[in-house]
Amino acid sequence: QVQLVESGGGLVQSGGSLRLSCAASRFAIGPWAIAWFRQAPGKEREAVSCSGRDGSSIYADSVKGRFTISRDNAENMVYLQMNSLKMEDTAVYYCASDTHGSGHCPLGGWRLNARYDKWGQGTQVTVSS
């Protein structure tokens, strides 16, 4: 069964850092766009960042300059380095893959939940004051 498994979440103080990992199994991430989403309590799931097959990346304005997405195709892993964390970053973070697309993160559509056909179970990130 194809899987995405997130890890690395936890409790961190405001201003701190965390590195999330997303491990893919039973499919190769190389040809596909991989994204990170997050969902805070009482809010809709929102796109955070996307990594294209060519190594390109795109970010939500709320995390630009603080978060960095990266991928290791050989290890079948995607990462999200989160620095300068704020309380409003508290959420469950999910990785997702778009295995029906072109492998790119289209400017007009990378934020759409429906674009992604494979999802992990999520990892909790809690930022305290």
Side-chain angles (χ1 to χ4, degrees):
Q1 182 178 351
V2 169
Q3 278 191 315
L4 293 170
V5 179
E6 303 93 338
S7 62
L11 175 65
V12 64
Q13 285 191 323
S14 180
S17 298
L18 281 175
R19 187 194 195 206
L20 305 183
S21 299
C22 173
S25 61
R26 294 188 173 86
F27 80 105
I29 67 168
W32 313 116
I34 308 292
W36 285 95
F37 284 74
R38 67 186 181 186
Q39 187 166 21
K43 295 187 176 182
E44 292 187 355
R45 188 159 54 188
E46 64 173 356
V48 174
S49 182
C50 180
S51 170
R53 60 183 291 178
D54 59 354
S56 60
S57 57
I58 192 167
Y59 299 91
D61 287 345
S62 59
V63 306
K64 202 172 294 183
R66 299 188 298 121
F67 290 12
T68 303
I69 192 171
S70 62
R71 62 196 292 163
D72 184 336
N73 291 338
E75 295 294 326
N76 235 22
M77 297 287 293
V78 180
Y79 304 98
L80 186 69
Q81 177 67 44
M82 305 187 296
N83 299 328
S84 303
L85 282 161
K86 305 175 181 180
M87 291 182 65
E88 51 263 44
D89 295 318
T90 294
V92 178
Y93 283 70
Y94 301 89
C95 64
S97 63
D98 172 14
T99 61
H100 298 300
S102 64
H104 301 291
C105 305
L107 188 61
W110 72 276
R111 293 181 176 86
L112 298 175
N113 283 247
R115 168 173 294 276
Y116 302 90
D117 55 292
K118 296 178 177 54
W119 293 82
Q121 84 291 346
T123 185
Q124 176 71 48
V125 172
T126 304
V127 184
S128 64
S129 59

